[in-house]
Amino acid sequence: MRKVLAVALKEMRQASRDPLTLALLLGIPAAMLLLYGYALNFDVRHVALAVQDRDGSAGSRELIASFTNSTYFDRAADLPAGSNLDGVLERRLARAVLVIPENYARDLDEGRRARVQLLLDGADANTATTVLGTSSAVVADANTAILRKALPDQQLRTSRVIDYEPRAWYNPELKSTQFLVPGLIGFILMLTSVLSTALSVVREKERGTMEQLRVTSLRPAELILGKTLPYLGIALVAMGIILLVARALFAVQVRGPLLDLFATTLLYLFGALGFGLLISSFADSQAIAFQVGSVFATLPAIFLSGFIFPIRSMPRLLQWLTYAFPTRYFLVILRGIILKGASLAPYRRDLLFLTIYAGVIFGLAWFRLTRKAD
Amino acid sequence: MAAVETRHLSKSFGAFKAVDDLTIAVEEGEVFGLLGSNGAGKSTVIRMICGLLAPSGGTALVEGVDVARDPEEVKRRIGYMTQRFSLYEDLTVRQNLRFFGGVYGLRGVILDQRQAWAVSQAGLEGKEDLMTRSLPGGWKQRLALACAVLHRPKVLFLDEPTGGVDPISRRSFWNLIDKMAEEGVTIIVTTHYLDEAEHCRRIALMHAGRLISMGTVSQLKQVFAGRAVIEVSCPRLFEALDLFERHEDVLEASLFGSRLHLVVPDAGTGQRRALELLQRSGNVPARVEPIVPSLEDVFIHTIETEEASRTRGEQKPTEKAGSRVQRGVP
Ligand SMILES: Nc1ncnc2c1ncn2[C@@H]1O[C@H](COP(=O)(O)OP(=O)(O)O)[C@@H](O)[C@H]1O
Ligand SMILES: [Mg+2]
């Protein structure tokens, strides 16, 4: 144990001697959270809306107001009646154009159906779909308001209007950052743990200090533990920082028990650190370790984990593949604890898989690093 | 009992034999030199004795302990300074010492004592808080040595300890080695600086994985007994080399920097004949002098003899092939 501490102390000294490494290990996670948190925000708000009001009536102004009063649209331009609409979307003056025809108000007053047109920039299909949804909602609200005004109270009360109030649980405002934060944690912890252990072992190989260590009475097991523990500690601190940043900036609160959260994270980290060690047992240069580490650790953590792409909408083959990587299970538990306020109890199966993964990977790494001289 | 012993030690990497049937015995308290050019197999031998590399054949014993059987026991008895001084450049002198002390299992007062001893031995007093990266080569080398002997090993392996170090540091380093040997530490050192062999009580010459000669320096020089070495300098060196190679009174001719060394049966006659030959071919001004053969002469002579006998063993003997290698065999 004393020798483990000697190694751990040395690792910490080297890490702290190198402010860049430390900043990378602790600062990068928070910076990434910031970056991805804002960049991966799938909510669409403040869409630039150009308006061509050919009617110019109180009624038409009311409709425009219901668009711009929702925070979804900002009035970007007014187009005079009769002007050519072709260039507006093309030149990106606006993402959407609302066209209100002549006689809009009169048609409504006289009980006829009024037609309103919305032109959308469909180049970014995701955004377009979302804008389409929000615009329909705005128009539906406007419709109800007009109906309320037109129909006598008696009739309105007796007409069977469905009171449709959809509510998304766990993430009531459907903020995508809420959903993304756990995924980011999974990805960031994987990246930093795999790279930090892999590089720290391979560096010793490269500089020849590994050879020196191997003739001391330091046992491989002691070396492995001494190299793992400091980075485990650093990763846990990084996790704490991420949670604080997520809370401060995106109002993501951990609703479930913190202890369960850290227990799960510990398990996940063991698998990740083990993977870093495993890479170090094959790689002979830091460059190779870095490449292998970033590819094999982070790609699955991004694409095969449900972080960005929902697993259920993946091709069957990829769905199966996700079972082979730990981030999938980690995210399920993390979302449960952070968003739903769950404890570990409902996630026994995912926990079991995380344990198996950590055991197998760490075992493999252990086997490869402790085997006899060849 | 020998402090270090190898018996028919061999190592192959694929079909390539890096070490071939090496049998040596090093006595306690001896400074034993393992000499050979780059790629001769010196590091491979040391790595096998230290238990870092499993031999393909044969055994290695340290103080009677078989490395294959009990590598941990061997590790407790040895210190090893790797070919590149393997220190942590981003730690201070003190931190390096404390770390290596820690992994050798030293602690408390004993660690403090050993550390103080190592610092004073290596002449690093007052430099404990310097960053290792910033130390000059000679200091790094002494620090590496200090780290390797913190646990008082009985046997010390030094793999090219003086590579890339200035001559003055090399000398003070050898003084340190001599002192440790006097205290009874057995030291096995590899080098390709032949002048350093003078510090070794005995040396083993390795070439292409094989042991080709072993003994004290004066014993090794016995290969020239009954013959003499003369040194030739003249303007057209290669022409002269060609000339001497074909001359039957010259047993062996080889290039030594900007000179030629000839092995001849008799110094006086050889000198006269060589000068005559050069003057006759107009290769003047020429100087020819008998010299005391250096270890390098011994080395080249022994290797050429060895290669010649192997070639003869493998090929059909050709008649006077004109190769100076073959002529080297008396
Ligand atoms: N791990 C290895 N794999 C393959 N070849 C090796 C290995 N280690 C050493 N060699 C080869 O064995 C030979 C002897 O190497 P080495 O013992 O380092 O020589 P020296 O120390 O005398 O310069 C060299 O030709 C080297 O290329
Ligand atoms: Mg070598």
Side-chain angles (χ1 to χ4, degrees), chain B residues 38 42-43 83 159-160 190:
Chain B
N38 267 327
K42 308 177 298 289
S43 298
Q83 194 162 352
D159 196 357
E160 300 200 9
T190 78

Side-chain angles (χ1 to χ4, degrees), chain A residues 224-268:
Chain A
I224 293 174
L225 285 182
K227 286 226 168 247
T228 317
L229 294 179
Y231 294 108
L232 195 68
I234 292 178
L236 283 178
V237 172
M239 165 89 168
I241 294 178
I242 297 175
L243 287 177
L244 287 178
V245 172
R247 181 176 183 145
L249 293 175
F250 305 112
V252 175
Q253 288 186 25
V254 181
R255 291 171 221 258
L258 274 180
L259 196 66
D260 290 17
L261 182 66
F262 275 89
T264 315
T265 307
L266 209 60
L267 204 54
Y268 179 66

Side-chain angles (χ1 to χ4, degrees), chain B residues 272-315:
Chain B
R272 222 173 334 106
R273 298 286 285 279
L275 206 56
E276 267 172 35
L277 274 170
L278 289 171
Q279 276 163 351
R280 213 180 301 153
S281 61
N283 205 340
V284 281
R287 261 182 50 201
V288 182
E289 284 169 359
I291 54 163
V292 180
S294 70
L295 205 54
E296 198 168 354
D297 290 301
V298 176
F299 205 5
I300 289 179
H301 171 78
T302 319
I303 287 171
E304 292 190 340
T305 312
E306 156 88 6
E307 281 192 342
S309 67
R310 285 177 81 183
T311 321
R312 248 202 317 256
E314 284 157 18
Q315 295 176 354

Side-chain angles (χ1 to χ4, degrees), chain B residues 105-124:
Chain B
L106 305 178
R107 54 188 147 112
V109 187
I110 299 197
L111 177 55
D112 293 342
Q113 279 173 359
R114 296 300 302 161
Q115 186 186 331
W117 174 84
V119 165
S120 78
Q121 285 282 304
L124 290 168

Side-chain angles (χ1 to χ4, degrees), chain A residues 2-3 6-7 10 13-14 17-18 203-220 372-374, chain B residues 11 47 50-54 71-72 75 78 80-82 84 86-88 90-92 95 99-100 102-105 107 131:
Chain A
R2 217 165 271 278
K3 294 182 190 173
V7 177
K10 184 216 88 182
R13 279 202 171 122
Q14 285 183 304
R17 186 59 42 73
D18 182 10
R203 197 181 305 131
E204 303 233 11
K205 279 201 211 174
E206 251 181 18
R207 298 191 184 160
T209 44
M210 190 58 100
E211 173 117 337
Q212 192 76 64
L213 289 183
R214 284 177 58 200
V215 287
T216 65
S217 46
L218 184 70
R219 279 193 296 265
K372 286 256 161 65
D374 47 11
Chain B
K11 180 70 194 182
R47 299 183 69 222
C50 294
L52 294 171
L53 203 60
E72 294 310 314
K75 283 181 191 174
I78 62 169
Y80 171 41
M81 189 172 144
T82 55
R84 305 175 282 161
S86 303
L87 298 160
Y88 295 97
D90 49 354
L91 295 181
T92 64
Q95 287 167 346
F99 170 68
F100 281 106
V103 295
Y104 279 120
R107 54 188 147 112
M131 197 56 82

